[in-house]
Amino acid sequence: IQSAEIAPGFVLRESSDPSFAFYAEANVDAPKIWGAFRDLSRGLLGSSATLLIGEIDENPIPLGAAQTGIILGLLEPYAYQLAHDGLIQFGLGARTDRGITEVFVTPTKHFKVWLNDEKEFESVMQAHAIERAESLQFIDEYPRTTTPLSPEQTSFADHASLFEHLRTKLKGNS
């Protein structure tokens, strides 16, 4: 762990998968996670998207689809918890005529992005002062301990309640 060099930045690679042209991973400083997620989602996804969310050791599940801006608005009050709770992973995904696009924040709070618009991705990263790197290390490559946020930092007693709240709100906006 002493040799770990976790630094902000992103790596972007061409994809051999025909569903998306590029795959990126990024380390983003905690205070910038929500803004980068929001702006990547606005810039890369189409007008509608599906919210994916889950706990650390489970596969994320789709909670519902709606206009991308509506989903981001629903998530905004929980931005701190989403960006800092190491027991939650979340993202938005969409399938368009250009293929699959997904902006996903892992439990270790690094980004995984499947995309087709390289220029828009780089523009958003530049706007958030996140530089391109040839290679990066990510926290999930190392042993770690994850602790929950304190109750004062969360809006719901447990993650399941938050997820159900978001599902209900999405159903009302679809």
Side-chain angles (χ1 to χ4, degrees), residues 91-173:
L92 294 180
R95 181 180 295 274
T96 66
D97 58 343
R98 293 186 66 192
I100 293 171
T101 301
E102 185 174 327
V103 180
F104 194 78
V105 179
T106 69
T108 55
K109 303 308 173 199
H110 78 272
F111 284 62
K112 293 184 176 189
V113 184
W114 297 262
L115 65 135
N116 294 294
D117 189 341
E118 173 186 23
K119 295 208 182 316
E120 179 64 22
F121 174 81
E122 289 180 327
S123 174
V124 171
M125 299 309 269
Q126 183 178 26
H128 288 274
I130 303 166
E131 300 294 324
R132 188 173 191 152
E134 286 301 312
S135 65
L136 286 173
Q137 294 180 355
F138 299 96
I139 195 78
D140 68 344
E141 298 171 27
Y142 297 93
R144 64 197 175 281
T145 300
T146 305
T147 58
L149 293 175
S150 69
E152 299 81 37
Q153 297 172 303
T154 62
S155 301
F156 292 87
D158 56 42
H159 297 131
S161 297
L162 171 61
F163 300 168
E164 188 54 37
H165 171 75
L166 293 171
R167 181 190 320 271
T168 301
K169 289 289 193 181
L170 279 170
K171 283 184 181 179
N173 283 291

